[in-house]
Amino acid sequence: MYKRSFVSAGLLCLLYLSVGGAQYPVLDMVAQKVIQKYQQATCEQLWNQKNQPKSAKEQEVIQMLRSDPQMRAAFINQVAAPVANKMFECDMIP
């Protein structure tokens, strides 16, 4: 639960950064936290988190990433491979 809160806080920082118009320096930090979360979590933990509802902060960040294609692309480019590999190992994707 602590890691999820930390990731949420990091994602909220990302939201504030996008408002400022910077070139996403916090994005790297948030992406690394997401990657660490997946690399350090057990498959059971990931399955349990998958079924939990998203917090309001996470939903805001997701909406922000949906509305900013450049930020979304930068974020996905960093997290896609490590997250997909872990999901594959945990049979979360075919």
Side-chain angles (χ1 to χ4, degrees):
M1 192 59 130
Y2 174 75
K3 287 185 180 184
R4 184 176 176 138
S5 297
F6 189 75
V7 171
S8 296
L11 291 175
L12 184 62
C13 289
L14 180 63
L15 174 67
Y16 289 123
L17 177 65
S18 71
V19 173
Q23 187 58 36
Y24 320 126
V26 176
L27 179 75
D28 293 334
M29 180 186 72
V30 173
Q32 287 305 312
K33 295 297 178 190
V34 171
I35 291 167
Q36 286 178 353
K37 172 194 156 196
Y38 274 84
Q39 289 176 338
Q40 295 174 355
T42 66
C43 293
E44 183 177 340
Q45 289 170 329
L46 292 176
W47 275 106
N48 290 336
Q49 290 175 2
K50 180 180 177 184
N51 296 327
Q52 294 177 352
K54 303 276 189 259
S55 71
K57 293 175 187 176
E58 288 174 313
Q59 290 175 0
E60 287 180 47
V61 172
I62 290 168
Q63 183 59 40
M64 182 223 20
L65 289 172
R66 285 186 176 141
S67 66
D68 188 337
Q70 291 177 334
M71 181 181 285
R72 180 177 59 241
F75 181 77
I76 290 173
N77 286 341
Q78 291 184 39
V79 301
V83 170
N85 282 325
K86 183 66 172 199
M87 291 176 72
F88 185 80
E89 290 172 12
C90 294
D91 291 326
M92 297 176 86
I93 57 174

PDB file of all heavy atoms in Angstrom, residues 21-48:
ATOM      1  N   GLY A  21       4.516  23.644 -17.883  1.00  0.00           N
ATOM      2  CA  GLY A  21       5.043  23.683 -19.229  1.00  0.00           C
ATOM      3  C   GLY A  21       6.503  23.276 -19.339  1.00  0.00           C
ATOM      4  O   GLY A  21       7.141  23.536 -20.346  1.00  0.00           O
ATOM      5  N   ALA A  22       7.059  22.678 -18.321  1.00  0.00           N
ATOM      6  CA  ALA A  22       8.451  22.231 -18.375  1.00  0.00           C
ATOM      7  C   ALA A  22       8.563  21.033 -19.317  1.00  0.00           C
ATOM      8  O   ALA A  22       7.571  20.482 -19.768  1.00  0.00           O
ATOM      9  CB  ALA A  22       8.937  21.867 -16.983  1.00  0.00           C
ATOM     10  N   GLN A  23       9.789  20.592 -19.547  1.00  0.00           N
ATOM     11  CA  GLN A  23      10.029  19.472 -20.458  1.00  0.00           C
ATOM     12  C   GLN A  23      10.011  18.140 -19.726  1.00  0.00           C
ATOM     13  O   GLN A  23      10.736  17.237 -20.049  1.00  0.00           O
ATOM     14  CB  GLN A  23      11.365  19.677 -21.184  1.00  0.00           C
ATOM     15  CG  GLN A  23      11.661  18.688 -22.285  1.00  0.00           C
ATOM     16  CD  GLN A  23      10.603  18.659 -23.371  1.00  0.00           C
ATOM     17  OE1 GLN A  23      10.043  19.683 -23.709  1.00  0.00           O
ATOM     18  NE2 GLN A  23      10.326  17.504 -23.911  1.00  0.00           N
ATOM     19  N   TYR A  24       9.182  17.990 -18.727  1.00  0.00           N
ATOM     20  CA  TYR A  24       8.925  16.734 -18.008  1.00  0.00           C
ATOM     21  C   TYR A  24      10.113  16.188 -17.213  1.00  0.00           C
ATOM     22  O   TYR A  24      10.364  14.995 -17.257  1.00  0.00           O
ATOM     23  CB  TYR A  24       8.427  15.640 -18.958  1.00  0.00           C
ATOM     24  CG  TYR A  24       7.470  16.082 -20.012  1.00  0.00           C
ATOM     25  CD1 TYR A  24       7.715  15.815 -21.347  1.00  0.00           C
ATOM     26  CD2 TYR A  24       6.306  16.750 -19.692  1.00  0.00           C
ATOM     27  CE1 TYR A  24       6.828  16.201 -22.336  1.00  0.00           C
ATOM     28  CE2 TYR A  24       5.415  17.152 -20.672  1.00  0.00           C
ATOM     29  CZ  TYR A  24       5.685  16.868 -21.990  1.00  0.00           C
ATOM     30  OH  TYR A  24       4.814  17.254 -22.962  1.00  0.00           O
ATOM     31  N   PRO A  25      10.845  16.992 -16.472  1.00  0.00           N
ATOM     32  CA  PRO A  25      11.955  16.418 -15.697  1.00  0.00           C
ATOM     33  C   PRO A  25      11.473  15.474 -14.598  1.00  0.00           C
ATOM     34  O   PRO A  25      12.189  14.541 -14.238  1.00  0.00           O
ATOM     35  CB  PRO A  25      12.672  17.632 -15.107  1.00  0.00           C
ATOM     36  CG  PRO A  25      11.672  18.722 -15.136  1.00  0.00           C
ATOM     37  CD  PRO A  25      10.761  18.433 -16.298  1.00  0.00           C
ATOM     38  N   VAL A  26      10.276  15.684 -14.085  1.00  0.00           N
ATOM     39  CA  VAL A  26       9.749  14.803 -13.047  1.00  0.00           C
ATOM     40  C   VAL A  26       9.241  13.503 -13.675  1.00  0.00           C
ATOM     41  O   VAL A  26       9.164  12.471 -13.014  1.00  0.00           O
ATOM     42  CB  VAL A  26       8.635  15.517 -12.252  1.00  0.00           C
ATOM     43  CG1 VAL A  26       7.992  14.596 -11.239  1.00  0.00           C
ATOM     44  CG2 VAL A  26       9.199  16.748 -11.558  1.00  0.00           C
ATOM     45  N   LEU A  27       8.948  13.544 -14.948  1.00  0.00           N
ATOM     46  CA  LEU A  27       8.462  12.363 -15.649  1.00  0.00           C
ATOM     47  C   LEU A  27       9.438  11.201 -15.506  1.00  0.00           C
ATOM     48  O   LEU A  27       9.023  10.069 -15.275  1.00  0.00           O
ATOM     49  CB  LEU A  27       8.233  12.677 -17.125  1.00  0.00           C
ATOM     50  CG  LEU A  27       7.743  11.518 -17.983  1.00  0.00           C
ATOM     51  CD1 LEU A  27       6.273  11.253 -17.684  1.00  0.00           C
ATOM     52  CD2 LEU A  27       7.949  11.821 -19.439  1.00  0.00           C
ATOM     53  N   ASP A  28      10.730  11.485 -15.619  1.00  0.00           N
ATOM     54  CA  ASP A  28      11.739  10.434 -15.470  1.00  0.00           C
ATOM     55  C   ASP A  28      11.667   9.805 -14.084  1.00  0.00           C
ATOM     56  O   ASP A  28      11.741   8.586 -13.946  1.00  0.00           O
ATOM     57  CB  ASP A  28      13.142  10.986 -15.708  1.00  0.00           C
ATOM     58  CG  ASP A  28      13.351  11.412 -17.154  1.00  0.00           C
ATOM     59  OD1 ASP A  28      12.669  10.865 -18.039  1.00  0.00           O
ATOM     60  OD2 ASP A  28      14.207  12.287 -17.377  1.00  0.00           O
ATOM     61  N   MET A  29      11.514  10.626 -13.067  1.00  0.00           N
ATOM     62  CA  MET A  29      11.451  10.126 -11.701  1.00  0.00           C
ATOM     63  C   MET A  29      10.205   9.255 -11.504  1.00  0.00           C
ATOM     64  O   MET A  29      10.281   8.166 -10.937  1.00  0.00           O
ATOM     65  CB  MET A  29      11.421  11.281 -10.703  1.00  0.00           C
ATOM     66  CG  MET A  29      11.348  10.837  -9.257  1.00  0.00           C
ATOM     67  SD  MET A  29      11.152  12.198  -8.106  1.00  0.00           S
ATOM     68  CE  MET A  29       9.461  12.678  -8.443  1.00  0.00           C
ATOM     69  N   VAL A  30       9.078   9.725 -11.999  1.00  0.00           N
ATOM     70  CA  VAL A  30       7.836   8.964 -11.853  1.00  0.00           C
ATOM     71  C   VAL A  30       7.921   7.660 -12.628  1.00  0.00           C
ATOM     72  O   VAL A  30       7.532   6.600 -12.125  1.00  0.00           O
ATOM     73  CB  VAL A  30       6.630   9.806 -12.320  1.00  0.00           C
ATOM     74  CG1 VAL A  30       5.364   8.980 -12.334  1.00  0.00           C
ATOM     75  CG2 VAL A  30       6.462  11.022 -11.427  1.00  0.00           C
ATOM     76  N   ALA A  31       8.453   7.714 -13.817  1.00  0.00           N
ATOM     77  CA  ALA A  31       8.596   6.499 -14.629  1.00  0.00           C
ATOM     78  C   ALA A  31       9.486   5.487 -13.918  1.00  0.00           C
ATOM     79  O   ALA A  31       9.176   4.284 -13.893  1.00  0.00           O
ATOM     80  CB  ALA A  31       9.163   6.839 -16.002  1.00  0.00           C
ATOM     81  N   GLN A  32      10.568   5.945 -13.317  1.00  0.00           N
ATOM     82  CA  GLN A  32      11.453   5.036 -12.588  1.00  0.00           C
ATOM     83  C   GLN A  32      10.750   4.416 -11.385  1.00  0.00           C
ATOM     84  O   GLN A  32      10.958   3.243 -11.077  1.00  0.00           O
ATOM     85  CB  GLN A  32      12.730   5.760 -12.155  1.00  0.00           C
ATOM     86  CG  GLN A  32      13.679   6.052 -13.286  1.00  0.00           C
ATOM     87  CD  GLN A  32      14.043   4.789 -14.070  1.00  0.00           C
ATOM     88  OE1 GLN A  32      14.386   3.757 -13.495  1.00  0.00           O
ATOM     89  NE2 GLN A  32      13.945   4.864 -15.388  1.00  0.00           N
ATOM     90  N   LYS A  33       9.906   5.178 -10.713  1.00  0.00           N
ATOM     91  CA  LYS A  33       9.155   4.635  -9.568  1.00  0.00           C
ATOM     92  C   LYS A  33       8.173   3.572 -10.034  1.00  0.00           C
ATOM     93  O   LYS A  33       8.001   2.538  -9.385  1.00  0.00           O
ATOM     94  CB  LYS A  33       8.419   5.752  -8.820  1.00  0.00           C
ATOM     95  CG  LYS A  33       9.343   6.743  -8.175  1.00  0.00           C
ATOM     96  CD  LYS A  33      10.204   6.091  -7.116  1.00  0.00           C
ATOM     97  CE  LYS A  33      11.160   7.097  -6.524  1.00  0.00           C
ATOM     98  NZ  LYS A  33      12.158   6.490  -5.673  1.00  0.00           N
ATOM     99  N   VAL A  34       7.535   3.798 -11.161  1.00  0.00           N
ATOM    100  CA  VAL A  34       6.600   2.811 -11.706  1.00  0.00           C
ATOM    101  C   VAL A  34       7.362   1.544 -12.088  1.00  0.00           C
ATOM    102  O   VAL A  34       6.939   0.422 -11.779  1.00  0.00           O
ATOM    103  CB  VAL A  34       5.826   3.377 -12.917  1.00  0.00           C
ATOM    104  CG1 VAL A  34       5.028   2.295 -13.626  1.00  0.00           C
ATOM    105  CG2 VAL A  34       4.920   4.517 -12.469  1.00  0.00           C
ATOM    106  N   ILE A  35       8.503   1.715 -12.730  1.00  0.00           N
ATOM    107  CA  ILE A  35       9.320   0.561 -13.128  1.00  0.00           C
ATOM    108  C   ILE A  35       9.770  -0.215 -11.895  1.00  0.00           C
ATOM    109  O   ILE A  35       9.671  -1.446 -11.853  1.00  0.00           O
ATOM    110  CB  ILE A  35      10.531   1.026 -13.967  1.00  0.00           C
ATOM    111  CG1 ILE A  35      10.048   1.548 -15.329  1.00  0.00           C
ATOM    112  CG2 ILE A  35      11.536  -0.108 -14.149  1.00  0.00           C
ATOM    113  CD1 ILE A  35      11.103   2.307 -16.111  1.00  0.00           C
ATOM    114  N   GLN A  36      10.240   0.494 -10.868  1.00  0.00           N
ATOM    115  CA  GLN A  36      10.664  -0.175  -9.636  1.00  0.00           C
ATOM    116  C   GLN A  36       9.511  -0.928  -8.999  1.00  0.00           C
ATOM    117  O   GLN A  36       9.689  -2.033  -8.483  1.00  0.00           O
ATOM    118  CB  GLN A  36      11.228   0.837  -8.641  1.00  0.00           C
ATOM    119  CG  GLN A  36      12.593   1.334  -8.998  1.00  0.00           C
ATOM    120  CD  GLN A  36      13.087   2.381  -8.007  1.00  0.00           C
ATOM    121  OE1 GLN A  36      12.364   2.825  -7.132  1.00  0.00           O
ATOM    122  NE2 GLN A  36      14.342   2.780  -8.167  1.00  0.00           N
ATOM    123  N   LYS A  37       8.339  -0.325  -9.022  1.00  0.00           N
ATOM    124  CA  LYS A  37       7.164  -0.975  -8.436  1.00  0.00           C
ATOM    125  C   LYS A  37       6.934  -2.320  -9.108  1.00  0.00           C
ATOM    126  O   LYS A  37       6.725  -3.334  -8.438  1.00  0.00           O
ATOM    127  CB  LYS A  37       5.935  -0.092  -8.600  1.00  0.00           C
ATOM    128  CG  LYS A  37       4.651  -0.767  -8.195  1.00  0.00           C
ATOM    129  CD  LYS A  37       3.448   0.010  -8.681  1.00  0.00           C
ATOM    130  CE  LYS A  37       2.286  -0.936  -8.783  1.00  0.00           C
ATOM    131  NZ  LYS A  37       1.203  -0.432  -9.566  1.00  0.00           N
ATOM    132  N   TYR A  38       6.971  -2.351 -10.412  1.00  0.00           N
ATOM    133  CA  TYR A  38       6.728  -3.602 -11.132  1.00  0.00           C
ATOM    134  C   TYR A  38       7.870  -4.593 -10.941  1.00  0.00           C
ATOM    135  O   TYR A  38       7.643  -5.788 -10.826  1.00  0.00           O
ATOM    136  CB  TYR A  38       6.487  -3.333 -12.615  1.00  0.00           C
ATOM    137  CG  TYR A  38       5.045  -3.002 -12.896  1.00  0.00           C
ATOM    138  CD1 TYR A  38       4.566  -1.709 -12.741  1.00  0.00           C
ATOM    139  CD2 TYR A  38       4.153  -3.986 -13.293  1.00  0.00           C
ATOM    140  CE1 TYR A  38       3.236  -1.409 -12.977  1.00  0.00           C
ATOM    141  CE2 TYR A  38       2.827  -3.702 -13.533  1.00  0.00           C
ATOM    142  CZ  TYR A  38       2.381  -2.404 -13.369  1.00  0.00           C
ATOM    143  OH  TYR A  38       1.071  -2.122 -13.592  1.00  0.00           O
ATOM    144  N   GLN A  39       9.103  -4.124 -10.927  1.00  0.00           N
ATOM    145  CA  GLN A  39      10.236  -5.036 -10.781  1.00  0.00           C
ATOM    146  C   GLN A  39      10.320  -5.639  -9.386  1.00  0.00           C
ATOM    147  O   GLN A  39      10.731  -6.778  -9.227  1.00  0.00           O
ATOM    148  CB  GLN A  39      11.535  -4.307 -11.121  1.00  0.00           C
ATOM    149  CG  GLN A  39      11.671  -4.014 -12.595  1.00  0.00           C
ATOM    150  CD  GLN A  39      12.908  -3.208 -12.935  1.00  0.00           C
ATOM    151  OE1 GLN A  39      13.483  -2.520 -12.094  1.00  0.00           O
ATOM    152  NE2 GLN A  39      13.321  -3.273 -14.189  1.00  0.00           N
ATOM    153  N   GLN A  40       9.918  -4.887  -8.369  1.00  0.00           N
ATOM    154  CA  GLN A  40      10.031  -5.360  -6.995  1.00  0.00           C
ATOM    155  C   GLN A  40       8.791  -6.095  -6.501  1.00  0.00           C
ATOM    156  O   GLN A  40       8.873  -6.835  -5.525  1.00  0.00           O
ATOM    157  CB  GLN A  40      10.338  -4.187  -6.066  1.00  0.00           C
ATOM    158  CG  GLN A  40      11.690  -3.567  -6.338  1.00  0.00           C
ATOM    159  CD  GLN A  40      11.947  -2.315  -5.523  1.00  0.00           C
ATOM    160  OE1 GLN A  40      11.080  -1.832  -4.813  1.00  0.00           O
ATOM    161  NE2 GLN A  40      13.153  -1.781  -5.641  1.00  0.00           N
ATOM    162  N   ALA A  41       7.666  -5.909  -7.150  1.00  0.00           N
ATOM    163  CA  ALA A  41       6.422  -6.526  -6.699  1.00  0.00           C
ATOM    164  C   ALA A  41       6.376  -7.998  -7.106  1.00  0.00           C
ATOM    165  O   ALA A  41       6.923  -8.396  -8.140  1.00  0.00           O
ATOM    166  CB  ALA A  41       5.226  -5.797  -7.299  1.00  0.00           C
ATOM    167  N   THR A  42       5.711  -8.779  -6.278  1.00  0.00           N
ATOM    168  CA  THR A  42       5.463 -10.164  -6.650  1.00  0.00           C
ATOM    169  C   THR A  42       4.263 -10.194  -7.591  1.00  0.00           C
ATOM    170  O   THR A  42       3.493  -9.237  -7.665  1.00  0.00           O
ATOM    171  CB  THR A  42       5.155 -11.018  -5.407  1.00  0.00           C
ATOM    172  OG1 THR A  42       3.913 -10.573  -4.844  1.00  0.00           O
ATOM    173  CG2 THR A  42       6.278 -10.945  -4.387  1.00  0.00           C
ATOM    174  N   CYS A  43       4.114 -11.305  -8.267  1.00  0.00           N
ATOM    175  CA  CYS A  43       2.964 -11.443  -9.164  1.00  0.00           C
ATOM    176  C   CYS A  43       1.657 -11.342  -8.385  1.00  0.00           C
ATOM    177  O   CYS A  43       0.699 -10.719  -8.846  1.00  0.00           O
ATOM    178  CB  CYS A  43       3.043 -12.762  -9.928  1.00  0.00           C
ATOM    179  SG  CYS A  43       4.421 -12.811 -11.105  1.00  0.00           S
ATOM    180  N   GLU A  44       1.641 -11.925  -7.208  1.00  0.00           N
ATOM    181  CA  GLU A  44       0.429 -11.869  -6.383  1.00  0.00           C
ATOM    182  C   GLU A  44       0.073 -10.421  -6.022  1.00  0.00           C
ATOM    183  O   GLU A  44      -1.097 -10.025  -6.086  1.00  0.00           O
ATOM    184  CB  GLU A  44       0.620 -12.685  -5.115  1.00  0.00           C
ATOM    185  CG  GLU A  44      -0.619 -12.741  -4.243  1.00  0.00           C
ATOM    186  CD  GLU A  44      -0.421 -13.613  -3.017  1.00  0.00           C
ATOM    187  OE1 GLU A  44       0.495 -14.449  -3.005  1.00  0.00           O
ATOM    188  OE2 GLU A  44      -1.202 -13.428  -2.066  1.00  0.00           O
ATOM    189  N   GLN A  45       1.077  -9.634  -5.673  1.00  0.00           N
ATOM    190  CA  GLN A  45       0.832  -8.228  -5.349  1.00  0.00           C
ATOM    191  C   GLN A  45       0.281  -7.478  -6.556  1.00  0.00           C
ATOM    192  O   GLN A  45      -0.645  -6.671  -6.426  1.00  0.00           O
ATOM    193  CB  GLN A  45       2.124  -7.558  -4.869  1.00  0.00           C
ATOM    194  CG  GLN A  45       2.584  -8.009  -3.517  1.00  0.00           C
ATOM    195  CD  GLN A  45       3.977  -7.502  -3.190  1.00  0.00           C
ATOM    196  OE1 GLN A  45       4.821  -7.315  -4.080  1.00  0.00           O
ATOM    197  NE2 GLN A  45       4.236  -7.285  -1.907  1.00  0.00           N
ATOM    198  N   LEU A  46       0.822  -7.741  -7.726  1.00  0.00           N
ATOM    199  CA  LEU A  46       0.339  -7.066  -8.932  1.00  0.00           C
ATOM    200  C   LEU A  46      -1.093  -7.468  -9.255  1.00  0.00           C
ATOM    201  O   LEU A  46      -1.903  -6.628  -9.648  1.00  0.00           O
ATOM    202  CB  LEU A  46       1.268  -7.361 -10.115  1.00  0.00           C
ATOM    203  CG  LEU A  46       2.666  -6.753 -10.016  1.00  0.00           C
ATOM    204  CD1 LEU A  46       3.507  -7.201 -11.198  1.00  0.00           C
ATOM    205  CD2 LEU A  46       2.594  -5.240  -9.936  1.00  0.00           C
ATOM    206  N   TRP A  47      -1.412  -8.747  -9.102  1.00  0.00           N
ATOM    207  CA  TRP A  47      -2.781  -9.195  -9.345  1.00  0.00           C
ATOM    208  C   TRP A  47      -3.753  -8.515  -8.378  1.00  0.00           C
ATOM    209  O   TRP A  47      -4.840  -8.100  -8.778  1.00  0.00           O
ATOM    210  CB  TRP A  47      -2.901 -10.714  -9.222  1.00  0.00           C
ATOM    211  CG  TRP A  47      -2.545 -11.426 -10.491  1.00  0.00           C
ATOM    212  CD1 TRP A  47      -1.408 -12.124 -10.746  1.00  0.00           C
ATOM    213  CD2 TRP A  47      -3.319 -11.511 -11.691  1.00  0.00           C
ATOM    214  NE1 TRP A  47      -1.423 -12.625 -12.022  1.00  0.00           N
ATOM    215  CE2 TRP A  47      -2.595 -12.262 -12.628  1.00  0.00           C
ATOM    216  CE3 TRP A  47      -4.562 -11.003 -12.065  1.00  0.00           C
ATOM    217  CZ2 TRP A  47      -3.060 -12.529 -13.908  1.00  0.00           C
ATOM    218  CZ3 TRP A  47      -5.022 -11.272 -13.349  1.00  0.00           C
ATOM    219  CH2 TRP A  47      -4.271 -12.031 -14.249  1.00  0.00           C
ATOM    220  N   ASN A  48      -3.364  -8.399  -7.115  1.00  0.00           N
ATOM    221  CA  ASN A  48      -4.227  -7.757  -6.123  1.00  0.00           C
ATOM    222  C   ASN A  48      -4.405  -6.277  -6.422  1.00  0.00           C
ATOM    223  O   ASN A  48      -5.503  -5.735  -6.279  1.00  0.00           O
ATOM    224  CB  ASN A  48      -3.666  -7.946  -4.708  1.00  0.00           C
ATOM    225  CG  ASN A  48      -3.783  -9.373  -4.231  1.00  0.00           C
ATOM    226  OD1 ASN A  48      -4.632 -10.133  -4.698  1.00  0.00           O
ATOM    227  ND2 ASN A  48      -2.927  -9.754  -3.308  1.00  0.00           N
TER     228      ASN A  48
END
